[in-house]
Amino acid sequence: MSYGNTDSAAGLLLRQFRELRDPRRRMPCFHIELVEKSNIFEWEVGFMVTNEDSIYHGAYLTGLLCFPRNFPFSPPTFLFCPPIYHPNVFSNGSLCISILHECGDDTNEEPDSETWSPVQTVETVLISIISLLDDPNVSSPANVDAAVEYKNARQEYNKRVILEVEASKKNMPPGMVYPASAVDPSPTSLQEKTPVEEFWQDVDDDDDGGGLQFESD
Amino acid sequence: MKLDIKRVNPVFTWSWDTRDPAAAKDRQYPFLYNYYPVDVEKAHLENGNAVDGDEDEDVCGICRASYNGTCPSCKIPGDSCPLVAGLCHHHFHYHCIFRWLDTNTSKGLCPMCRQQFQLNSKLPINRPYLEKFESITKAIRERVFLDEAFDGNSQQEEYGNEMPSDSGGTGQERRSADQSDLEEDEEEQEDSFYGHLDVNIE
């Protein structure tokens, strides 16, 4: 196939990198740096959750965003460094989110409408990750223990997350000012909301002792 | 004050005409079909897409470059890097959308709306590429059929861990042997089906 090469992916990433770093864009939720100045395919991302209602408010979560050479036709991968305690984050820090899964991947059962598409941008990926922090997908967990605790013992889960949030503040680069909530509230979730009928059906199932059950090995 | 005009430099602009021929009755120069300057906002409204004044409205959704520019792998705009339009009213650079459709994971879907991507045969800008598009969509259909027909887990689901061992040997050995035969058959099928997928786009 005589289409473009890695130069086209690098050009697209460079353009998006500049856009996200542009102060006129007013995106204080993310702090983005290149891991190596000469490599546009690996980004170091710092997340700042400005929503005061979130248990992650005040955190500075860092991660590694790695892009394939045929971007945007294949999705990037995201790795939290250090790993965080979250139902959709593996113990090594690798993030499991539908938007970063390829369509038709046998390892997941997400509908095609939620999987990767080349029209997704780095910005939509980052917003989806921030949305996932407060709204985890416990139906297909990467960390089963965290999913069980999130579902059955929310207070304990919140305590553990708050401890991680406090520890993460030490990772903030010197001189950086945490953005105020009034300036830039946390982006709303890009994922489709569950219809009201299905929501109440889920609640009824939970009351009857049904719903999602997780068993840790 | 007297002015002498010594030289005139005319400047022409062009953009891809994505309007349906039936809707474009006011066209003055039909022989300049692809290059007739159009009001982009009007064209989008005629295609059924509301325009909200977004600055990204006139860029290819995949490469984020202007419709009238080129995709990242091309250098000269125009016929060497054309625009194609789907029935879903989403437009992409020819190389961008065909590269996406040629990936194993696209399933032939439009990246924007996730509907089956079909070229709008009524639009003149699409006509040179209809035949090539058909060959690629045929390959996609065959590929999807292969994925469903030759699922490697089917035998394991049917027999579990122990397959019937009527000709000696353990069930585990039989299963691995059958699995390798299945994989060989699958490779042969792929060779025959995927042979025409290597499309060179000039």
Side-chain angles (χ1 to χ4, degrees):
Chain A
M1 183 73 51
S2 63
Y3 301 112
N5 48 25
T6 56
D7 291 346
S8 60
L12 179 61
L13 285 170
L14 186 61
R15 197 183 319 153
Q16 294 193 29
F17 181 77
R18 284 174 179 160
E19 282 176 8
L20 286 169
R21 301 249 315 175
D22 188 351
R24 291 171 296 179
R25 288 284 303 246
R26 291 181 185 171
M27 297 203 64
C29 294
F30 315 120
H31 176 72
I32 299 167
E33 297 284 350
L34 293 181
V35 177
E36 295 176 16
K37 290 282 174 69
S38 58
N39 185 9
I40 192 69
F41 291 95
E42 288 189 3
W43 297 15
E44 197 176 275
V45 183
F47 291 97
M48 291 165 280
V49 182
T50 55
N51 179 11
E52 289 181 355
D53 297 330
S54 169
I55 56 171
Y56 285 94
H57 177 66
Y60 185 80
L61 306 174
T62 53
L64 195 64
L65 193 60
C66 299
F67 298 91
R69 301 284 159 172
N70 64 336
F71 182 84
F73 300 99
S74 291
T77 56
F78 187 82
L79 194 76
F80 277 105
C81 308
I84 64 170
Y85 186 71
H86 188 276
N88 300 114
V89 179
F90 288 98
S91 56
N92 66 343
S94 178
L95 178 69
C96 178
I97 183 173
S98 57
I99 197 176
L100 297 184
H101 287 153
E102 288 189 310
C103 182
D105 186 357
D106 295 334
T107 60
N108 64 76
E109 297 177 0
E110 287 117 359
D112 293 342
S113 59
E114 294 178 11
T115 52
W116 176 258
S117 149
V119 298
Q120 303 287 0
T121 62
V122 181
E123 185 179 342
T124 61
V125 168
L126 297 179
I127 289 172
S128 297
I129 293 171
I130 278 201
S131 303
L132 190 74
L133 291 175
D134 281 315
D135 188 19
N137 178 14
V138 290
S139 60
S140 59
N143 184 337
V144 179
D145 295 337
V148 171
E149 195 169 45
Y150 178 85
K151 191 167 172 56
N152 300 331
R154 186 69 61 86
Q155 296 293 334
E156 296 299 315
Y157 174 84
N158 287 354
K159 282 180 187 174
R160 186 159 177 175
V161 168
I162 288 165
L163 286 173
E164 283 193 348
V165 167
E166 290 303 315
S168 73
K169 290 178 181 177
K170 298 170 187 173
N171 299 329
M172 194 178 295
M176 179 178 285
V177 180
Y178 209 88
S181 305
V183 176
D184 186 61
S186 182
T188 54
S189 174
L190 292 182
Q191 297 173 354
E192 293 178 342
K193 298 296 180 187
T194 313
V196 177
E197 296 81 15
E198 290 180 24
F199 171 77
W200 288 115
Q201 184 64 44
D202 289 345
V203 172
D204 291 340
D205 288 346
D206 289 347
D207 290 343
D208 296 338
L212 300 165
Q213 298 294 327
F214 299 106
E215 293 178 11
S216 55
D217 296 333
Chain B
M1 183 177 168
K2 186 180 177 183
L3 292 175
D4 290 331
I5 298 173
K6 294 185 175 180
R7 188 172 60 188
V8 175
N9 293 324
V11 177
F12 296 91
T13 61
W14 66 274
S15 64
W16 297 106
D17 191 349
T18 57
R19 294 181 294 179
D20 195 306
K25 294 174 183 174
D26 58 341
R27 183 172 284 102
Q28 297 172 3
Y29 308 106
F31 52 88
L32 292 176
Y33 204 103
N34 288 1
Y35 303 98
Y36 179 70
V38 296
D39 181 348
V40 175
E41 187 167 335
K42 185 180 175 186
H44 277 286
L45 288 170
E46 283 176 357
N47 280 340
N49 286 358
V51 175
D52 56 2
D54 186 10
E55 63 181 358
D56 290 341
E57 192 67 38
D58 299 332
V59 298
C60 170
I62 296 175
C63 70
R64 303 276 152 188
S66 166
Y67 285 153
N68 301 335
T70 68
C71 70
S73 53
C74 294
K75 289 184 170 60
I76 303 169
D79 285 333
S80 62
C81 187
L83 189 73
V84 292
L87 284 173
C88 53
H89 303 303
H90 291 131
H91 308 90
F92 305 95
H93 288 126
Y94 171 69
H95 301 110
C96 295
I97 188 64
F98 274 56
R99 186 176 175 188
W100 164 243
L101 293 174
D102 193 49
T103 61
N104 290 327
T105 54
S106 75
K107 291 188 176 179
L109 304 179
C110 170
M112 288 277 196
C113 59
R114 313 282 186 157
Q115 296 178 36
Q116 205 67 34
F117 189 80
Q118 292 289 335
L119 286 186
N120 188 345
S121 57
K122 291 180 182 177
L123 293 181
I125 59 170
N126 287 342
R127 282 177 192 154
Y129 316 107
L130 291 173
E131 196 175 323
K132 194 160 284 188
F133 178 78
E134 277 304 313
S135 70
I136 284 190
T137 49
K138 184 185 174 191
I140 291 166
R141 283 195 295 271
E142 289 165 349
R143 189 160 56 202
V144 170
F145 168 76
L146 273 179
D147 291 342
E148 291 172 358
F150 297 101
D151 184 6
N153 298 324
S154 57
Q155 292 209 3
Q156 194 167 349
E157 288 167 5
E158 189 175 347
Y159 294 111
N161 279 338
E162 291 185 12
M163 287 180 66
S165 52
D166 51 348
S167 61
T170 63
Q172 192 73 24
E173 290 168 354
R174 272 288 306 281
R175 191 171 84 253
S176 60
D178 287 358
Q179 193 71 24
S180 62
D181 291 342
L182 187 71
E183 285 168 4
E184 285 173 13
D185 293 344
E186 198 171 336
E187 283 174 13
E188 288 173 13
Q189 290 275 3
E190 283 180 8
D191 289 341
S192 60
F193 276 133
Y194 293 12
H196 62 287
L197 247 189
D198 197 13
V199 182
N200 284 315
I201 297 174
E202 297 172 359

